[in-house]
Amino acid sequence: MSTFSNANTGDKPADPYKVANKDDLPASQKIESLDKFVTSCKFGMMTTRDASTGKLVSRCMAVAAKEHGGVDQLFFTNTESKKTDELENDSHVNIAFLDSSGQWASISGTTSIETDRSEVKKYYQPTLKAWLGDLGDGIHDGSENDPRIGIIRVKMTTATYSISDKTFFGFAAEVAKGTITGQPANVNKLREISERKIQSWRASH
């Protein structure tokens, strides 16, 4: 399989930042830390693919609930919105989370759209009515029984995220040192979680 390259660095790493910041921990610690970060962010950008144009589309979505120890995430949706059509055509998504300090997470997964009323009622929030409205027909009223309310369940397949325990001054000092010495700044904990590790975690939770 071919890969893009525009440089030959010999036996030296072409991406020294990744080498300096990669943080290998047991999978359980990686997943628990990611789950904590997602909870703190609450909102993520969900990216789907528009079947009619092939273009990627991102929308801000709020995490409604999590299952299997955090590796499955649930989001409420209006079943009549375009994103449900996009997910029906291609179930693959990416969800990106970012906080004000620059910490981030990128989660890849596959989706299913749940319309079972018992599932909806389990996680229903009255504030959903503000987004769906009451059409005045006694059915489409934004309540837990409104058939327009569904759940997008995202089953995580892989994840990459970057968090930091550096203070503002510690971060600035690392960047300044790297600028002077040419050594990559060690400012983040860059972590990757493989599909195999996530599957194992899901099976035990």
Side-chain angles (χ1 to χ4, degrees):
M1 184 176 67
S2 63
T3 58
F4 178 84
S5 177
N6 195 46
N8 183 356
T9 60
D11 60 355
K12 295 182 179 180
D15 188 359
Y17 165 81
K18 183 175 182 180
V19 174
N21 289 271
K22 187 174 182 180
D23 190 34
D24 280 324
L25 291 173
S28 60
Q29 293 182 40
K30 289 183 181 180
I31 292 172
E32 289 169 353
S33 180
L34 173 61
D35 181 50
K36 183 178 179 181
F37 177 68
V38 168
T39 299
S40 70
C41 289
K42 174 70 173 177
F43 296 96
M45 294 297 291
M46 179 184 289
T47 301
T48 58
R49 185 179 296 277
D50 185 333
S52 63
T53 65
K55 294 180 179 179
L56 300 177
V57 184
S58 297
R59 301 171 177 87
C60 183
M61 302 283 287
V63 179
K66 289 175 287 184
E67 296 176 339
H68 295 109
V71 296
D72 291 350
Q73 299 170 351
L74 281 63
F75 303 83
F76 279 111
T77 186
N78 183 335
T79 61
E80 310 311 299
S81 67
K82 191 174 182 180
K83 63 179 170 290
T84 54
D85 291 335
E86 293 166 357
L87 293 174
E88 187 69 16
N89 180 74
D90 185 346
S91 65
H92 296 86
V93 296
N94 179 270
I95 307 172
F97 297 89
L98 177 71
D99 72 9
S100 59
S101 67
Q103 298 181 115
W104 58 269
S106 175
I107 295 171
S108 295
T110 57
T111 62
S112 59
I113 302 172
E114 312 288 343
T115 57
D116 182 85
R117 299 335 291 170
S118 63
E119 282 292 292
V120 172
K121 290 177 181 179
K122 184 177 179 180
Y123 299 111
Y124 176 79
Q125 301 165 5
T127 52
L128 288 169
K129 189 171 184 178
W131 302 104
L132 284 96
D134 185 346
L135 303 187
D137 59 6
I139 299 175
H140 306 97
D141 56 4
S143 72
E144 60 187 16
N145 295 310
D146 189 327
R148 295 174 298 165
I149 299 178
I151 291 173
I152 297 173
R153 175 176 276 106
V154 178
K155 294 184 68 173
M156 188 187 304
T157 53
T158 61
T160 302
Y161 68 102
S162 176
I163 59 175
S164 178
D165 55 10
K166 298 283 186 184
T167 64
F168 172 80
F169 294 107
F171 184 95
E174 276 292 317
V175 173
K177 183 175 73 174
T179 302
I180 296 170
T181 65
Q183 297 298 314
N186 185 357
V187 291
N188 295 310
K189 299 179 186 298
L190 186 60
R191 299 169 180 168
E192 298 176 339
I193 311 174
S194 69
E195 185 171 5
R196 183 174 62 85
K197 295 294 186 182
I198 290 171
Q199 289 175 341
S200 177
W201 179 269
R202 182 181 290 113
S204 63
H205 290 76

